[in-house]
Amino acid sequence: MIVLGIETSCDETAVALVRGREVLSNAVASQHDLHAEFGGVVPEIASRAHAERILPMLRQALDGHVLASIDAIAVAHRPGLIGSLVVGVSAAKALAWSLGVPLVGVDHVRAHLLAPMLVNPGEHAKDPGFPAIGLVVSGGHTSVYEMRSPSELTRLGATIDDAIGEAFDKVASILGIPHPGGPNLEKIARAGDENAFDFPISLLARGSLDFSFSGLKTAVLYEAKGRPAPRPIPGKPPRQAPPPPTMTDQRRADIAASFQRAAIRAITKKIARAIEHHPRSRSLVVGGGVSANLPLRAALERLAKRHRIDLRLASPAYCGDNAAMIAGLGAELLASHAAQDLGLHLEAVPTTSA
Ligand code: KG4
Ligand code: ZN
């Protein structure tokens, strides 16, 4: 069964074809250049760019394949920027209706956990063992799941404030590192000392599998820009906090590296806890844009080795937003009869179901 996937939830316009877990084509147009001058994604610019790029991406993904060979359409219909989701959902409805094939709505966050199971044409796909621990580390989500199969999950924990990718992006902005913040911060951090600053890691309540990155982000802000003035004492002259040291390239790299180490430790500590709470877990499945981060990948490899659990990381092409993971999850939902074909009634929804 060949499934055509469409992804337009944020700032990537993507179309892909998959057969089961096999990626036949994967077209992605990133909008990073359009949003760089604003330091983040501007929703109106994003949806306009999706409208311009969806057909060129469709043509690119179809390269050599005929529309008639497509058995179903899968589209990321949640979560995301509503104006952006609507572009993908409308294109998917038009295609499904004109081809007379089923239309499956896919949750983008869940699809990130299918990404590690995708393979190139001709490669053998071996799914991870289940039950598994699933970890999504992206710009909008930081969540841990118990996975009973590629499509059946229960959320065990999630961030209570910023997502890890959002923390990378905000810290990059504090440090004057250009958009896209996460990957650029990783590069700058290579020249830094990760032990230069001892930034805090929020573990929250005992046993909690939730995450929190806002305290870490504030600690970085104070280190880079200075602390607020101490509260005035009645009858005493107002006190000033000492100004922060001048920002140099080395200091920027040291702060970036120390932040990255703390953010990674926040993840590995919680995943170690999740594995301990769920000792029957056979594998650890990881997806989302931040899973492209090499120090995070290395830390997860060490963790998996220590806990003797099979680690499945998405290959770099499938860590960030792409349509192959959407088509892959769509194919899985159809194969397991878990998908409902809502046809033209499928709606774009800003929130996740996961
Ligand atoms: O999964 P994704 O492409 O989009 C969402 O679903 O949010 O994730 C994007 C996030 C951004 O915050 C980006 O800065 C971060 O992933 N990211 C990274 C790296 N590559 C992308 N963060 C740290 N290191 C990276 N190498
Ligand atoms: Zn994503």
Side-chain angles (χ1 to χ4, degrees):
M1 169 185 278
I2 296 184
V3 178
L4 181 141
I6 296 180
E7 157 63 42
T8 61
S9 64
C10 188
D11 58 347
E12 260 89 28
T13 315
V15 182
L17 286 182
V18 306
R19 188 192 293 123
R21 302 276 189 266
E22 215 183 337
V23 182
L24 305 177
S25 68
N26 184 39
V28 186
S30 167
Q31 302 177 7
H32 287 163
D33 50 337
L34 296 183
H35 303 285
E37 68 172 293
F38 305 103
V41 178
V42 182
E44 177 61 24
I45 294 177
S47 43
R48 279 168 182 262
H50 286 307
E52 282 164 14
R53 294 165 184 208
I54 189 77
L55 289 179
M57 285 304 101
L58 178 62
R59 264 185 223 112
Q60 195 175 316
L62 281 174
D63 180 42
H65 296 87
V66 286
L67 274 172
S69 65
I70 292 163
D71 299 296
I73 310 288
V75 61
H77 76 125
R78 68 189 306 175
L81 301 170
I82 198 72
S84 293
L85 289 168
V86 162
V87 177
V89 168
S90 307
K93 282 180 180 175
L95 275 171
W97 186 77
S98 54
L99 294 173
V101 297
L103 171 61
V104 186
V106 166
D107 187 300
H108 173 100
V109 182
R110 288 170 173 254
H112 271 305
L113 291 175
L114 200 283
M117 300 170 215
L118 296 170
V119 294
N120 294 322
E123 278 177 13
H124 178 63
K126 191 173 174 291
D127 275 359
F130 293 99
I133 300 288
L135 169 69
V136 176
V137 276
S138 73
H141 296 84
T142 306
S143 306
V144 51
Y145 301 90
E146 181 198 16
M147 300 178 75
R148 292 176 299 286
S149 77
S151 59
E152 291 168 286
L153 10 144
T154 305
R155 196 171 74 188
L156 302 174
T159 183
I160 58 164
D161 40 56
D162 290 346
I164 183 170
E166 196 179 350
F168 266 87
D169 295 340
K170 286 180 178 167
V171 165
S173 156
I174 291 168
L175 295 176
I177 297 171
H179 181 81
N184 286 337
L185 187 148
E186 181 189 345
K187 280 189 208 123
I188 298 235
R190 282 183 205 142
D193 171 6
E194 62 172 21
N195 295 310
F197 301 95
D198 191 16
F199 289 131
I201 299 169
S202 304
L203 293 180
L204 302 172
R206 213 182 146 90
S208 164
L209 293 177
D210 288 335
F211 301 88
S212 167
F213 291 99
S214 69
L216 170 58
K217 183 190 63 189
T218 306
V220 171
L221 177 71
Y222 287 173
E223 201 56 62
K225 307 270 184 195
R227 283 169 180 73
R231 219 180 297 144
I233 301 169
K236 294 260 169 88
R239 294 171 299 163
Q240 283 302 319
T246 313
M247 185 61 80
T248 60
D249 285 350
Q250 189 57 51
R251 187 171 157 78
R252 181 177 293 108
D254 288 346
I255 295 177
S258 304
F259 156 77
Q260 182 172 252
R261 172 174 176 265
I264 292 172
R265 287 186 69 210
I267 297 289
T268 51
K269 277 178 179 284
K270 287 298 164 86
I271 295 302
R273 205 178 255 183
I275 295 170
E276 279 153 23
H277 290 189
H278 296 267
R280 285 177 52 246
S281 305
R282 295 175 58 202
S283 40
L284 172 60
V285 178
V286 186
V290 185
S291 67
N293 182 280
L294 294 177
L296 173 64
R297 292 172 86 90
L300 289 170
E301 266 157 27
R302 289 193 296 274
L303 173 100
K305 214 167 177 186
R306 219 169 33 247
H307 288 265
R308 295 204 180 101
I309 191 167
D310 180 27
L311 174 66
R312 297 301 185 93
L313 288 161
S315 69
Y318 307 130
C319 287
D321 291 348
N322 66 86
M325 67 183 193
I326 305 298
L329 183 54
E332 170 69 29
L333 292 170
L334 286 164
S336 59
H337 304 286
Q340 214 187 344
D341 177 10
L342 291 177
L344 298 182
H345 296 288
L346 183 70
E347 281 185 5
V349 183
T351 55
T352 180
S353 62

